[in-house]
Amino acid sequence: MADEPDFDRRQMLERVLVAGAVVWVAGVAVPSAMYVWPAGSSGPTSKYIEIDPESVAPGTVRVLGGVGKPVLLLRLKNGEFRAFSAVCTHLGCIVHWNAEQQTIQCPCHAGTFTPAGLVVSGPPPRPLATYPTQVVGGKLRIQT
Amino acid sequence: MKLREQAGRWLDQRYPMSALREGFGKQMHKLLPSNVGWVHTLGGMLLFLTAQQILTGILLMVYYRPTTDEAYESVRFLMLKASFGWLIRGLHAWGATLMIAVLVLHMLRVFVLGAFKKPRELTWVGGVLLFFTTLGFGFTGYLLPWNQLSYWATTVGTEVVASIPAIGHGLGVLVRGGEAVGQETLSRFYVVHVVVLPWLLVLLVVVHIVMIRTQNLASLDRVGEELPPQPGKGVRFSPEHLSRELVVFPLFFALLVALVILYPPDVGVKADSTVTPEGIKPEWYFLPTYQFLKYLPKLAGLALSAVPPALLLFWPFLDRTRARRPSQRKLSVSLGLAALFLTLLLGFVGYLSESDLTIFGTHLRFDMYGVPKRVESGR
């Protein structure tokens, strides 16, 4: 005599319906979750900015926007260029140059950095990211 | 009148209208516990504000354009050129502020009167979820005018999210739609603000009201000793409680319109991703968290700032004493009021931080921690 099945046809139908609903939800949820993940977040990250070096007088700074995150370009009094990410490492505000104190400062939580981008005081956990600079064909190229 | 009767008969022949009328009438004349009074009108005001935010939000969408090039200009346009645009935006902005304020008062009433206790624990949890949803509206809506303040407050807010260990960076990218606040962020916030959150809000409000109507409002009797309101002793929803709502409503609406006229919301300066202005701050209801995070190392601050919302959400399962009257729950009520006082204090210090103030001729500069320092004149 054959064993009695563990469940009848009605229960079988219910299980198929539940399994189908789970498959359908997963089938919709996975592509939807992947869809909302930013499409451009894994794109190329290495870019450069070119400017006329004479547009920045010694002892002054320029904040360069346009390509990626803003860049703080500092020209020291001896003519040397230093380029940093202008994004504060604390909470993402844009730093500025304090000519009087010769420091880089964040307007949000008073983070202060040296002209080399190192943290002097305040909450920033890391130095500012630095970018290499070089003069190519009379233009200053900042590799970001 | 004849037309109305005919229409009624026409509907009666097709749908169970008498049962619906009977159900509606039963709800309208429902007997509420005798302790229900003026403080219980706050829930009704929240319902009005929800409806008003949806209506004014729809009207704002007529002119608003969710692109980084046009968002700011479109808000300026609707404020300055569209007929009564200033009023519509003012009602929406001040409505949002009052919604948070009234929600806090409403939750305070429920907390102090012990109405969150058994069997209404899930009604409280649903209410706290409504509170979080409303904060979500505030956070996403703040960015939409695309001005300096909103841009940088969102940058700081999403950086806080990105600071969460392990999952933070991915979460930040997901929220912003990229590494920095930009068009992708604006699009995402817009969709969440005008589609996702409104549906969630309506769903939660409906569930909340059904729960309240099913269990009735809480009396002051101890848990397990509640009796249904007795005829002649309770308060009828209509006309007694409804008349209270009708007294509070015009006063409340007058306050709202007065705020819009006296303190119209500013459009500010258009967002500039290369310049962070001094003293950027979030909306007032995020000030306590904003200030709290300044006093602690980043990770400790983030971990600890998750504690108050969790306590709020699960409070009915932590405070399981049976008394409801505040006089019989002195410890619990004192703890709650102390937490509220601390929150308000942190918010006030956050408001003062990184600002200047002159008190009786003394110029003070408050640093990021809210500590005042005297500033000599001429500096």
Side-chain angles (χ1 to χ4, degrees):
Chain A
M1 193 173 142
D3 288 344
E4 285 289 314
D6 287 344
F7 47 90
D8 59 22
R9 275 182 296 176
R10 187 171 299 216
Q11 286 170 321
M12 177 66 190
L13 187 63
E14 281 171 5
R15 289 184 190 196
V16 168
L17 277 173
V18 169
V22 169
V23 170
W24 182 80
V25 168
V28 171
V30 171
S32 302
M34 289 170 74
Y35 175 80
V36 296
W37 184 259
S41 63
S42 57
T45 52
S46 182
K47 303 182 188 96
Y48 61 81
I49 303 170
E50 278 189 344
I51 61 155
D52 177 6
E54 296 310 314
S55 65
V56 189
T60 66
V61 296
R62 264 185 74 181
V63 176
L64 308 167
V67 183
K69 292 186 175 179
V71 172
L72 183 87
L73 181 65
L74 167 64
R75 189 170 190 185
L76 301 174
K77 284 180 179 162
N78 63 8
E80 184 192 337
F81 284 101
R82 283 181 188 169
F84 307 98
S85 163
V87 179
C88 179
T89 53
H90 180 221
L91 287 175
C93 297
I94 301 300
V95 295
H96 59 77
W97 174 246
N98 186 325
E100 193 185 322
Q101 295 176 11
Q102 293 286 298
T103 54
I104 298 167
Q105 291 187 333
C106 178
C108 288
H109 301 104
T112 306
F113 303 86
T114 66
L118 303 172
V119 180
V120 176
S121 63
R126 294 183 304 280
L128 292 172
T130 54
Y131 299 132
T133 59
Q134 64 177 122
V135 177
V136 180
K139 293 276 186 188
L140 181 75
R141 180 178 287 185
I142 304 148
Q143 197 76 35
T144 61
Chain B
M1 198 64 187
K2 203 176 174 188
L3 187 68
R4 193 178 156 186
E5 278 172 18
Q6 279 179 337
R9 219 175 8 252
W10 190 90
L11 282 169
D12 275 335
Q13 287 165 0
R14 285 156 180 82
Y15 302 100
M17 295 307 288
S18 53
L20 285 174
R21 268 194 293 271
E22 196 186 325
F24 182 73
K26 213 171 146 187
Q27 287 300 321
M28 283 301 284
H29 299 105
K30 195 178 178 86
L31 206 53
L32 309 175
S34 57
N35 64 305
V36 170
W38 291 96
V39 284
H40 290 76
T41 58
L42 291 166
M45 293 310 104
L46 284 169
L47 208 54
F48 153 69
L49 280 172
T50 303
Q52 187 210 248
Q53 291 304 90
I54 291 172
L55 179 67
T56 52
I58 290 170
L59 290 172
L60 288 174
M61 283 167 68
V62 171
Y63 288 102
Y64 180 73
R65 295 175 185 175
T67 67
T68 53
D69 288 337
E70 294 182 300
Y72 176 80
E73 283 77 7
S74 66
V75 173
R76 265 187 79 86
F77 178 84
L78 74 87
M79 289 279 287
L80 301 173
K81 297 281 173 65
S83 300
F84 291 106
W86 62 272
L87 180 65
I88 306 294
R89 179 160 182 252
L91 286 173
H92 198 73
W94 273 110
T97 277
L98 286 187
M99 201 159 171
I100 302 275
V102 176
L103 249 169
V104 171
L105 290 174
H106 181 64
M107 288 168 76
L108 188 65
R109 191 273 295 167
V110 174
F111 175 79
V112 171
L113 298 183
F116 60 88
K117 296 192 172 193
K118 191 181 173 184
R120 297 177 185 81
E121 300 97 322
L122 289 181
T123 313
W124 169 270
V125 170
V128 174
L129 292 178
L130 270 166
F131 179 58
F132 294 161
T133 305
T134 310
L135 291 178
F137 269 110
F139 187 62
T140 50
Y142 198 45
L143 178 68
L144 302 187
W146 201 250
N147 58 34
Q148 274 289 68
L149 210 58
S150 69
Y151 179 90
W152 289 106
T154 306
T155 296
V156 171
T158 51
E159 281 293 328
V160 170
V161 173
S163 311
I164 298 170
I167 58 165
H169 181 257
L171 208 55
V173 168
L174 188 66
V175 170
R176 285 190 295 243
E179 295 290 339
V181 174
Q183 176 59 58
E184 298 304 323
T185 323
L186 186 60
S187 299
R188 277 160 196 252
F189 276 40
Y190 181 65
V191 169
V192 171
H193 191 79
V194 307
V195 181
V196 180
L197 290 178
W199 278 107
L200 183 64
L201 184 82
V202 168
L203 177 75
L204 286 170
V205 166
V206 169
V207 171
H208 198 66
I209 291 172
V210 168
M211 282 175 159
I212 291 166
R213 281 280 153 177
T214 311
Q215 296 179 318
N216 206 342
L217 293 172
S219 69
L220 287 171
D221 298 326
R222 290 167 68 83
V223 171
E225 294 171 17
E226 265 188 295
L227 293 170
Q230 299 302 308
K233 283 188 175 176
V235 176
R236 276 178 302 169
F237 179 73
S238 173
E240 290 166 78
H241 187 66
L242 206 56
S243 8
R244 285 198 192 111
E245 302 258 12
L246 291 175
V247 170
V248 175
F249 171 71
L251 296 173
F252 185 72
F253 192 64
L255 168 74
L256 180 60
V257 174
L259 287 168
V260 173
I261 292 169
L262 295 175
Y263 306 101
D266 197 5
V267 192
V269 177
K270 189 174 180 176
D272 180 351
S273 63
T274 62
V275 181
T276 305
E278 294 280 342
I280 56 147
K281 281 174 192 171
E283 276 284 62
W284 66 271
Y285 36 86
F286 290 121
L287 279 174
T289 313
Y290 162 83
Q291 191 61 22
F292 177 73
L293 289 172
K294 290 181 187 173
Y295 295 119
L296 294 164
K298 217 170 180 179
L299 290 182
L302 276 172
L304 282 176
S305 64
V307 173
L311 279 178
L312 199 64
L313 193 63
F314 298 114
W315 190 253
F317 307 104
L318 299 172
D319 177 5
R320 299 171 74 171
T321 53
R322 297 176 64 197
R324 291 188 203 276
R325 288 181 188 276
S327 58
Q328 294 166 1
R329 301 163 41 230
K330 284 182 181 151
L331 177 67
S332 162
V333 172
S334 307
L335 276 175
L337 293 180
L340 180 69
F341 175 74
L342 189 65
T343 306
L344 291 175
L345 183 69
L346 272 171
F348 185 61
V349 175
Y351 172 75
L352 286 178
S353 70
E354 296 170 85
S355 70
D356 295 294
L357 192 67
T358 303
I359 304 171
F360 300 120
T362 307
H363 301 289
L364 297 171
R365 168 83 187 158
F366 291 85
D367 68 9
M368 66 179 277
Y369 300 109
V371 179
K373 287 193 178 70
R374 202 175 171 149
V375 180
E376 296 304 323
S377 299
R379 281 192 66 188

